[in-house]
Coordinates of all heavy atoms in Angstrom, one line a residue:
M1 N 19.7 6.4 28.2 CA 19.7 7.1 27.0 C 20.4 8.4 27.0 O 20.3 9.1 27.9 CB 18.3 7.5 26.7 CG 17.3 6.3 26.5 SD 15.6 7.0 26.1 CE 15.2 6.3 24.6
T2 N 21.3 8.5 26.0 CA 22.1 9.7 26.0 C 21.6 10.4 24.7 O 21.2 9.9 23.6 CB 23.5 9.5 26.0 OG1 23.8 8.6 24.8 CG2 24.0 8.9 27.2
S3 N 21.7 11.7 24.8 CA 21.3 12.6 23.6 C 22.6 13.2 23.0 O 23.5 13.6 23.7 CB 20.4 13.7 24.1 OG 20.0 14.6 23.0
T4 N 22.6 13.3 21.7 CA 23.8 14.0 21.1 C 23.5 15.4 21.0 O 24.5 16.1 20.6 CB 24.0 13.3 19.7 OG1 22.8 13.5 18.9 CG2 24.3 11.9 19.8
K5 N 22.2 15.9 21.1 CA 22.1 17.4 21.0 C 22.5 18.1 22.3 O 22.3 17.7 23.4 CB 20.6 17.7 20.7 CG 20.1 17.2 19.4 CD 18.7 17.7 19.1 CE 18.3 17.3 17.8 NZ 16.8 17.7 17.6
D6 N 23.2 19.2 22.1 CA 23.6 20.1 23.2 C 22.6 21.2 23.3 O 22.6 22.1 22.6 CB 25.0 20.6 23.0 CG 25.4 21.4 24.1 OD1 25.0 21.1 25.3 OD2 26.3 22.2 24.1
T7 N 21.6 21.0 24.3 CA 20.6 22.0 24.4 C 21.0 23.0 25.5 O 21.3 22.6 26.6 CB 19.3 21.3 24.8 OG1 19.0 20.3 23.7 CG2 18.1 22.3 24.9
S8 N 21.0 24.3 25.2 CA 21.3 25.2 26.3 C 20.1 25.4 27.2 O 18.9 25.1 26.9 CB 21.6 26.5 25.6 OG 20.5 27.2 25.0
P9 N 20.3 25.9 28.3 CA 19.2 26.1 29.2 C 18.2 27.2 28.8 O 17.0 27.0 29.0 CB 19.8 26.7 30.5 CG 21.3 26.2 30.5 CD 21.6 26.1 29.0
L10 N 18.6 28.1 28.0 CA 17.7 29.1 27.4 C 16.9 28.5 26.4 O 15.6 28.7 26.4 CB 18.5 30.3 26.9 CG 17.6 31.4 26.3 CD1 16.9 32.0 27.4 CD2 18.5 32.4 25.6
A11 N 17.3 27.5 25.7 CA 16.5 26.8 24.7 C 15.5 25.9 25.3 O 14.4 25.8 24.9 CB 17.5 26.0 23.8
A12 N 16.0 25.3 26.3 CA 15.0 24.4 27.2 C 13.8 25.2 27.7 O 12.7 24.8 27.8 CB 15.7 23.6 28.2
V13 N 14.2 26.4 28.3 CA 13.2 27.2 28.9 C 12.2 27.8 27.9 O 10.9 27.8 28.0 CB 13.8 28.5 29.6 CG1 12.8 29.5 30.0 CG2 14.6 27.9 30.9
S14 N 12.8 28.2 26.7 CA 11.9 28.6 25.6 C 10.9 27.5 25.0 O 9.8 27.8 24.7 CB 12.7 29.1 24.5 OG 13.3 28.2 23.7
H15 N 11.4 26.3 25.1 CA 10.5 25.2 24.5 C 9.5 24.8 25.6 O 8.4 24.6 25.2 CB 11.4 23.9 24.3 CG 12.3 24.0 23.1 ND1 11.7 24.2 21.9 CD2 13.6 23.8 23.0 CE1 12.8 24.3 21.0 NE2 14.0 24.0 21.6
L16 N 9.8 24.9 26.9 CA 8.8 24.8 27.9 C 7.8 25.8 27.9 O 6.6 25.6 28.0 CB 9.6 24.6 29.3 CG 8.7 24.4 30.4 CD1 8.1 23.1 30.4 CD2 9.4 24.7 31.9
L17 N 8.2 27.1 27.7 CA 7.3 28.2 27.7 C 6.4 27.9 26.5 O 5.1 28.3 26.5 CB 8.0 29.5 27.7 CG 7.3 30.8 27.6 CD1 6.4 31.0 28.9 CD2 8.1 31.9 27.5
S18 N 7.0 27.7 25.3 CA 6.2 27.5 24.1 C 5.1 26.4 24.3 O 4.0 26.6 23.8 CB 7.1 27.2 22.9 OG 6.5 26.7 21.8
F19 N 5.6 25.3 24.9 CA 4.6 24.1 25.1 C 3.5 24.6 26.0 O 2.3 24.4 25.8 CB 5.3 23.0 25.7 CG 4.4 22.0 26.1 CD1 3.9 21.0 25.1 CD2 4.1 21.7 27.3 CE1 3.0 20.0 25.4 CE2 3.1 20.6 27.7 CZ 2.7 19.8 26.8
A20 N 3.7 25.4 27.1 CA 2.7 25.8 28.0 C 1.7 26.8 27.3 O 0.5 26.8 27.5 CB 3.4 26.4 29.3
L21 N 2.4 27.7 26.5 CA 1.5 28.6 25.9 C 0.5 28.1 24.9 O -0.7 28.3 24.8 CB 2.3 29.8 25.2 CG 2.8 30.7 26.2 CD1 3.9 31.7 25.5 CD2 1.8 31.7 26.9
V22 N 1.2 27.1 24.0 CA 0.3 26.5 22.9 C -0.8 25.5 23.5 O -1.9 25.7 23.1 CB 1.2 25.7 22.0 CG1 0.4 25.0 21.0 CG2 2.1 26.8 21.1
V23 N -0.4 24.8 24.5 CA -1.4 23.8 25.0 C -2.4 24.5 25.9 O -3.6 24.2 25.8 CB -0.6 22.8 25.9 CG1 -1.6 21.9 26.7 CG2 0.2 21.9 24.9
G24 N -2.0 25.6 26.6 CA -2.9 26.3 27.4 C -3.8 27.1 26.6 O -5.1 27.2 26.9
G25 N -3.4 27.8 25.5 CA -4.2 28.6 24.6 C -5.1 27.6 24.0 O -6.3 27.9 23.6
G26 N -4.7 26.5 23.5 CA -5.5 25.4 22.7 C -6.6 25.0 23.6 O -7.8 24.8 23.2
S27 N -6.3 24.5 24.8 CA -7.3 24.0 25.6 C -8.2 25.0 26.1 O -9.4 24.7 26.3 CB -6.7 23.3 26.9 OG -6.0 24.4 27.8
G28 N -7.9 26.3 26.3 CA -8.7 27.3 26.6 C -9.7 27.6 25.4 O -11.0 27.8 25.6
L29 N -9.3 27.5 24.2 CA -10.2 27.6 23.0 C -11.2 26.5 23.0 O -12.3 26.7 22.8 CB -9.3 27.8 21.7 CG -8.6 29.0 21.4 CD1 -7.7 28.9 20.2 CD2 -9.6 30.1 21.1
L30 N -10.7 25.3 23.2 CA -11.6 24.1 23.1 C -12.7 24.3 24.2 O -13.8 24.0 24.1 CB -10.8 22.8 23.3 CG -10.0 22.4 22.0 CD1 -9.3 21.2 22.4 CD2 -10.9 22.2 20.9
H31 N -12.2 24.7 25.4 CA -13.1 25.0 26.5 C -14.2 26.0 26.2 O -15.4 25.9 26.6 CB -12.4 25.2 27.8 CG -13.4 25.4 29.0 ND1 -14.1 24.5 29.5 CD2 -13.7 26.5 29.7 CE1 -14.8 24.9 30.5 NE2 -14.5 26.1 30.6
E32 N -13.8 27.1 25.6 CA -14.7 28.2 25.3 C -15.8 27.8 24.2 O -16.8 28.1 24.3 CB -13.9 29.4 24.8 CG -13.2 30.2 25.9 CD -14.2 30.9 27.0 OE1 -15.3 31.4 26.6 OE2 -14.0 30.7 28.2
W33 N -15.2 27.1 23.2 CA -16.0 26.8 22.1 C -17.0 25.6 22.4 O -18.1 25.6 22.0 CB -15.3 26.4 20.8 CG -14.6 27.6 20.2 CD1 -15.1 29.0 20.4 CD2 -13.5 27.6 19.5 NE1 -14.3 29.7 19.7 CE2 -13.2 29.0 19.1 CE3 -12.6 26.7 19.0 CZ2 -12.1 29.5 18.3 CZ3 -11.5 27.3 18.2 CH2 -11.3 28.5 17.8
W34 N -16.4 24.6 23.0 CA -17.2 23.3 23.3 C -17.6 22.9 24.7 O -18.3 22.0 24.9 CB -16.6 22.1 22.6 CG -16.7 22.2 21.1 CD1 -17.7 22.3 20.3 CD2 -15.6 22.3 20.1 NE1 -17.4 22.4 19.0 CE2 -16.1 22.5 18.9 CE3 -14.2 22.1 20.4 CZ2 -15.2 22.4 17.8 CZ3 -13.4 22.2 19.3 CH2 -13.8 22.4 17.9
G35 N -16.9 23.6 25.6 CA -17.3 23.4 27.0 C -16.6 22.2 27.5 O -17.0 21.7 28.7
W36 N -15.6 21.7 27.0 CA -15.0 20.5 27.6 C -13.4 20.7 27.6 O -12.9 21.7 27.1 CB -15.4 19.2 26.8 CG -15.1 19.1 25.5 CD1 -16.0 19.6 24.4 CD2 -14.0 18.6 24.7 NE1 -15.4 19.4 23.2 CE2 -14.2 18.7 23.3 CE3 -12.9 17.9 25.2 CZ2 -13.3 18.4 22.4 CZ3 -11.9 17.4 24.2 CH2 -12.2 17.6 22.8
L37 N -12.6 19.8 28.0 CA -11.3 19.7 28.0 C -10.7 20.8 29.1 O -10.3 21.9 28.7 CB -10.6 19.9 26.8 CG -9.1 19.6 26.7 CD1 -8.8 18.2 26.8 CD2 -8.5 20.1 25.3
H38 N -10.8 20.4 30.3 CA -10.4 21.4 31.4 C -8.9 21.2 31.7 O -8.5 21.4 32.8 CB -11.3 21.2 32.7 CG -12.8 21.5 32.5 ND1 -13.1 22.8 32.5 CD2 -13.8 20.8 32.3 CE1 -14.4 22.8 32.3 NE2 -14.9 21.6 32.2
F39 N -8.2 20.9 30.7 CA -6.7 20.7 30.9 C -6.0 22.1 31.0 O -6.3 23.1 30.3 CB -6.2 20.0 29.7 CG -4.7 19.7 29.9 CD1 -4.3 18.7 30.8 CD2 -3.8 20.3 29.1 CE1 -3.0 18.4 30.9 CE2 -2.3 19.9 29.0 CZ -2.1 19.0 30.1
M40 N -5.1 22.3 31.9 CA -4.4 23.5 32.2 C -5.4 24.6 32.6 O -5.5 25.7 31.9 CB -3.6 23.8 31.1 CG -2.4 23.0 30.8 SD -1.3 23.5 29.6 CE -0.4 24.7 30.4
G41 N -6.2 24.4 33.6 CA -7.3 25.4 33.9 C -6.8 26.8 34.5 O -7.6 27.6 34.6
F42 N -5.6 26.8 34.7 CA -5.0 28.0 35.4 C -5.0 29.2 34.4 O -4.9 30.2 34.8 CB -3.6 27.7 36.0 CG -2.6 27.6 34.9 CD1 -1.9 28.6 34.3 CD2 -2.2 26.3 34.5 CE1 -0.9 28.4 33.4 CE2 -1.2 26.0 33.5 CZ -0.6 27.0 33.0
V43 N -5.0 28.9 33.1 CA -5.0 30.0 32.2 C -6.2 30.8 32.2 O -6.2 32.0 31.8 CB -4.8 29.5 30.7 CG1 -3.4 28.7 30.5 CG2 -5.9 28.6 30.3
R44 N -7.3 30.4 32.9 CA -8.5 31.2 32.9 C -8.3 32.4 33.9 O -9.0 33.4 33.8 CB -9.7 30.4 33.3 CG -9.6 29.9 34.7 CD -10.8 28.9 35.0 NE -10.5 28.1 36.1 CZ -11.2 28.4 37.3 NH1 -12.2 29.2 37.3 NH2 -11.0 27.6 38.3
F45 N -7.3 32.3 34.6 CA -6.9 33.4 35.7 C -6.0 34.4 35.0 O -5.8 35.6 35.4 CB -6.3 32.9 36.9 CG -7.1 32.0 37.7 CD1 -6.8 30.6 37.8 CD2 -8.2 32.5 38.3 CE1 -7.6 29.7 38.6 CE2 -9.1 31.7 39.1 CZ -8.8 30.3 39.2
V46 N -5.5 34.1 33.8 CA -4.6 34.9 33.1 C -5.3 35.9 32.1 O -4.9 37.1 31.9 CB -3.6 34.2 32.3 CG1 -2.5 35.0 31.6 CG2 -2.8 33.3 33.3
V47 N -6.4 35.5 31.6 CA -7.1 36.2 30.6 C -8.2 37.2 31.2 O -8.7 36.8 32.2 CB -7.8 35.3 29.5 CG1 -6.7 34.4 28.9 CG2 -8.8 34.4 30.2
P48 N -8.3 38.3 30.5 CA -9.4 39.3 31.1 C -10.8 38.7 30.6 O -11.0 38.1 29.7 CB -9.0 40.6 30.5 CG -8.3 40.2 29.3 CD -7.5 38.9 29.5
D49 N -11.7 39.1 31.6 CA -13.1 38.7 31.3 C -13.8 39.5 30.1 O -13.5 40.6 29.8 CB -14.0 39.1 32.5 CG -13.8 38.3 33.7 OD1 -13.3 37.1 33.5 OD2 -14.0 38.7 34.8
G50 N -14.4 38.7 29.2 CA -14.9 39.2 27.9 C -14.0 39.0 26.8 O -14.4 39.3 25.7
Y51 N -12.7 38.8 27.1 CA -11.8 38.6 25.9 C -11.1 37.3 25.9 O -9.9 37.1 25.6 CB -10.7 39.7 26.1 CG -11.2 41.1 25.9 CD1 -11.5 41.9 27.0 CD2 -11.5 41.5 24.6 CE1 -12.0 43.2 26.9 CE2 -12.0 42.9 24.5 CZ -12.3 43.7 25.7 OH -12.8 44.9 25.4
E52 N -11.8 36.3 26.3 CA -11.2 35.0 26.5 C -10.7 34.4 25.2 O -9.5 34.0 25.1 CB -12.2 34.0 27.2 CG -12.4 34.3 28.7 CD -13.6 35.2 28.8 OE1 -14.1 35.7 27.8 OE2 -13.9 35.5 29.9
V53 N -11.5 34.4 24.1 CA -11.1 33.8 22.9 C -10.0 34.5 22.3 O -9.1 33.9 21.7 CB -12.4 33.8 21.9 CG1 -11.9 33.3 20.6 CG2 -13.5 32.9 22.4
Y54 N -10.0 35.9 22.3 CA -8.9 36.6 21.7 C -7.6 36.3 22.5 O -6.4 36.2 21.9 CB -9.0 38.1 21.8 CG -10.4 38.5 21.0 CD1 -11.5 39.0 21.6 CD2 -10.5 38.3 19.6 CE1 -12.6 39.3 20.9 CE2 -11.5 38.7 18.9 CZ -12.6 39.3 19.5 OH -13.7 39.6 18.8
S55 N -7.7 36.2 23.8 CA -6.5 35.9 24.7 C -5.9 34.5 24.4 O -4.7 34.4 24.4 CB -6.9 36.1 26.1 OG -7.3 37.3 26.4
Y56 N -6.8 33.6 24.3 CA -6.3 32.3 24.0 C -5.7 32.1 22.6 O -4.6 31.5 22.4 CB -7.5 31.2 24.0 CG -7.9 31.1 25.4 CD1 -9.4 31.0 25.7 CD2 -7.1 31.0 26.6 CE1 -9.8 30.8 27.0 CE2 -7.5 30.9 27.9 CZ -9.0 30.8 28.1 OH -9.4 30.6 29.3
V57 N -6.2 32.9 21.6 CA -5.6 32.9 20.2 C -4.2 33.5 20.3 O -3.2 33.0 19.7 CB -6.4 33.6 19.3 CG1 -5.8 33.9 17.9 CG2 -7.7 32.8 19.0
V58 N -4.1 34.6 21.1 CA -2.8 35.3 21.3 C -1.8 34.4 22.0 O -0.6 34.3 21.7 CB -3.0 36.7 22.1 CG1 -1.6 37.2 22.5 CG2 -3.7 37.7 21.2
M59 N -2.3 33.6 22.9 CA -1.4 32.7 23.6 C -0.8 31.6 22.7 O 0.3 31.3 22.8 CB -2.1 32.0 24.8 CG -2.3 32.8 26.0 SD -3.4 32.1 27.3 CE -2.3 30.8 27.8
V60 N -1.7 31.1 21.8 CA -1.2 30.1 20.8 C -0.2 30.7 19.9 O 0.9 30.2 19.6 CB -2.4 29.4 20.1 CG1 -2.0 28.6 19.0 CG2 -3.3 28.7 21.0
V61 N -0.5 31.9 19.4 CA 0.3 32.5 18.4 C 1.7 32.8 19.2 O 2.8 32.7 18.5 CB -0.3 33.8 17.8 CG1 0.7 34.6 17.0 CG2 -1.5 33.4 16.9
L62 N 1.6 33.5 20.3 CA 2.8 33.7 21.0 C 3.7 32.5 21.4 O 4.9 32.5 21.2 CB 2.4 34.5 22.3 CG 3.6 35.0 23.2 CD1 4.4 36.1 22.4 CD2 3.1 35.6 24.4
G63 N 3.0 31.4 21.7 CA 3.7 30.1 21.9 C 4.4 29.6 20.8 O 5.6 29.2 20.8
L64 N 3.8 29.8 19.5 CA 4.4 29.4 18.3 C 5.6 30.2 18.0 O 6.7 29.8 17.5 CB 3.4 29.3 17.1 CG 2.3 28.3 17.3 CD1 1.3 28.5 16.2 CD2 2.9 26.9 17.2
A65 N 5.5 31.5 18.2 CA 6.7 32.5 18.0 C 7.7 32.2 19.0 O 9.0 32.2 18.4 CB 6.1 33.9 18.1
V66 N 7.6 32.0 20.1 CA 8.6 31.7 21.1 C 9.3 30.3 20.7 O 10.5 30.2 20.8 CB 8.1 31.5 22.5 CG1 9.0 30.9 23.5 CG2 7.6 32.9 23.1
G67 N 8.5 29.4 20.4 CA 9.1 28.1 19.9 C 10.0 28.2 18.6 O 11.0 27.6 18.5
A68 N 9.5 29.0 17.7 CA 10.2 29.3 16.4 C 11.5 30.0 16.7 O 12.6 29.8 16.1 CB 9.3 30.0 15.4
A69 N 11.5 31.0 17.6 CA 12.6 31.7 18.0 C 13.7 30.9 18.7 O 14.8 31.1 18.5 CB 12.2 32.9 18.9
G70 N 13.2 30.1 19.6 CA 14.1 29.1 20.3 C 14.7 28.2 19.3 O 16.0 27.9 19.5
C71 N 14.1 27.7 18.3 CA 14.7 26.8 17.4 C 15.6 27.5 16.5 O 16.7 27.0 16.1 CB 13.5 26.1 16.5 SG 12.8 24.8 17.4
A72 N 15.3 28.7 16.1 CA 16.2 29.5 15.1 C 17.3 29.9 15.9 O 18.4 29.9 15.3 CB 15.4 30.7 14.7
R73 N 17.4 30.2 17.2 CA 18.5 30.6 18.0 C 19.5 29.4 18.0 O 20.6 29.6 18.0 CB 18.1 31.2 19.3 CG 19.2 31.5 20.2 CD 19.9 32.7 19.7 NE 21.0 33.0 20.5 CZ 22.1 33.5 20.3 NH1 22.3 34.0 18.9 NH2 23.1 33.7 21.1
R74 N 18.9 28.3 18.4 CA 19.7 27.1 18.5 C 20.5 26.7 17.3 O 21.5 26.2 17.3 CB 18.9 26.0 19.0 CG 19.7 24.7 19.3 CD 18.9 23.6 19.9 NE 17.9 23.3 19.0 CZ 16.8 22.6 19.1 NH1 16.6 22.1 20.4 NH2 15.8 22.3 18.3
S75 N 19.8 26.8 16.1 CA 20.3 26.2 14.8 C 21.3 27.2 14.2 O 22.0 26.8 13.2 CB 19.2 25.9 13.9 OG 18.5 27.0 13.6
K76 N 21.4 28.5 14.7 CA 22.2 29.5 14.0 C 23.6 29.2 14.6 O 23.9 29.2 15.8 CB 21.8 30.8 14.4 CG 22.4 31.9 13.5 CD 22.0 33.3 14.0 CE 20.5 33.5 13.6 NZ 20.1 35.0 14.0
P77 N 24.5 29.0 13.6 CA 25.9 28.8 14.0 C 26.6 30.2 14.6 O 26.2 31.3 14.2 CB 26.7 28.5 12.9 CG 25.9 29.1 11.7 CD 24.5 29.0 12.2
R78 N 27.4 30.1 15.5 CA 27.9 31.3 16.2 C 29.0 31.8 15.3 O 29.9 31.1 14.7 CB 28.5 31.0 17.6 CG 27.6 30.7 18.6 CD 28.3 30.6 19.9 NE 27.3 30.3 21.0 CZ 27.6 30.2 22.2 NH1 28.8 30.3 22.6 NH2 26.7 30.1 23.1
M79 N 29.1 33.1 15.1 CA 30.1 33.8 14.2 C 31.2 34.1 15.2 O 31.1 34.7 16.2 CB 29.4 35.0 13.6 CG 28.4 34.7 12.7 SD 27.7 36.1 11.8 CE 29.2 36.7 10.9
R80 N 32.4 34.0 14.7 CA 33.6 34.3 15.3 C 33.9 35.7 15.1 O 33.8 36.2 13.8 CB 34.8 33.4 14.9 CG 34.6 32.0 15.5 CD 35.8 31.3 15.3 NE 35.7 29.8 15.7 CZ 36.6 28.9 15.3 NH1 37.5 29.1 14.6 NH2 36.2 27.7 15.8
S81 N 34.4 36.5 15.9 CA 34.7 37.9 15.7 C 36.2 38.0 15.1 O 37.1 37.3 15.6 CB 34.7 38.8 16.9 OG 35.4 38.2 17.9
R82 N 36.4 38.6 14.1 CA 37.7 38.7 13.4 C 38.3 40.0 14.0 O 37.6 41.1 14.2 CB 37.6 38.8 11.9 CG 37.0 37.5 11.3 CD 37.0 37.5 9.9 NE 36.6 38.7 9.4 CZ 36.2 38.9 8.1 NH1 36.3 38.0 7.2 NH2 35.8 40.1 7.7
P83 N 39.5 40.1 14.1 CA 40.2 41.4 14.5 C 40.2 42.3 13.4 O 40.2 42.0 12.2 CB 41.7 40.9 14.7 CG 41.9 39.6 14.1 CD 40.5 39.0 13.9
M84 N 40.0 43.6 13.8 CA 39.9 44.6 12.8 C 41.3 44.8 12.1 O 42.3 44.9 12.8 CB 39.5 45.9 13.5 CG 38.1 45.9 14.1 SD 36.8 46.5 13.0 CE 37.3 48.0 12.5
T85 N 41.3 44.9 10.8 CA 42.6 45.2 10.1 C 42.4 46.6 9.4 O 41.4 47.0 9.0 CB 42.8 44.1 9.0 OG1 41.7 44.1 8.1 CG2 43.0 42.8 9.7
T86 N 43.6 47.2 9.4 CA 43.6 48.5 8.7 C 43.8 48.2 7.2 O 44.5 47.4 6.7 CB 44.8 49.3 9.2 OG1 45.9 48.6 9.0 CG2 44.5 49.6 10.6
P87 N 43.2 49.0 6.4 CA 43.2 48.8 5.0 C 44.7 49.2 4.4 O 45.3 50.1 4.9 CB 42.3 49.8 4.3 CG 41.9 50.7 5.3 CD 42.3 50.1 6.7
V88 N 45.2 48.4 3.5 CA 46.5 48.8 2.9 C 46.4 49.8 1.9 O 45.6 49.6 1.0 CB 47.0 47.4 2.4 CG1 48.5 47.6 1.8 CG2 47.1 46.3 3.4
T89 N 47.2 50.8 1.9 CA 47.1 51.9 1.0 C 48.4 51.7 0.0 O 49.4 51.1 0.3 CB 47.2 53.1 1.6 OG1 48.5 53.4 2.4 CG2 46.1 53.5 2.5
G90 N 48.3 52.2 -1.0 CA 49.4 52.1 -2.0 C 50.5 53.1 -2.0 O 51.0 53.6 -3.0
R91 N 50.9 53.5 -0.8 CA 51.9 54.4 -0.6 C 53.3 53.7 -0.9 O 53.6 52.7 -0.3 CB 51.9 55.0 0.8 CG 50.8 56.0 0.9 CD 50.9 56.6 2.3 NE 49.5 57.0 2.7 CZ 49.4 57.5 3.9 NH1 50.3 57.6 4.9 NH2 48.2 57.9 4.3
G92 N 54.2 54.4 -1.5 CA 55.5 53.7 -1.8 C 56.7 54.4 -1.5 O 57.2 55.3 -1.1

């Protein structure tokens, strides 16, 4: 299988980080609220005691922001720099 999209390494890292933050925060919220889904249990070492729910919500929002920024950066066309020109004056 070949892909026609040219993904830069920075975009791939941002997508991976976004996935880890969203899934980790979501699974942490599910674990806090209902006591199940111990998927990605390492995130419990990242959040401070007493602020688990707030930290997991921040992780989900941050993951969505990183994913949106990675997609926006990839879809934006590169601008070419034009050489500076001096304005033409009407001296004769």
Side-chain angles (χ1 to χ4, degrees):
M1 290 181 131
T2 59
S3 176
T4 58
K5 290 185 179 181
D6 184 26
T7 305
S8 69
L10 185 62
V13 169
S14 71
H15 290 304
L16 180 67
L17 183 63
S18 172
F19 175 78
L21 285 171
V22 170
V23 172
S27 68
L29 284 173
L30 289 175
H31 178 68
E32 285 296 319
W33 288 334
W34 291 302
W36 56 276
L37 193 69
H38 295 284
F39 185 67
M40 295 184 75
F42 69 90
V43 295
R44 66 187 167 111
F45 297 111
V46 179
V47 300
D49 290 334
Y51 297 99
E52 288 89 1
V53 174
Y54 299 117
S55 300
Y56 293 138
V57 169
V58 167
M59 285 176 64
V60 170
V61 170
L62 186 64
L64 292 174
V66 167
C71 288
R73 176 70 181 147
R74 183 179 58 193
S75 65
K76 192 183 293 186
R78 291 188 176 186
M79 295 182 62
R80 293 183 182 171
S81 61
R82 297 185 313 196
M84 298 266 312
T85 59
T86 57
V88 178
T89 58
R91 292 187 203 171

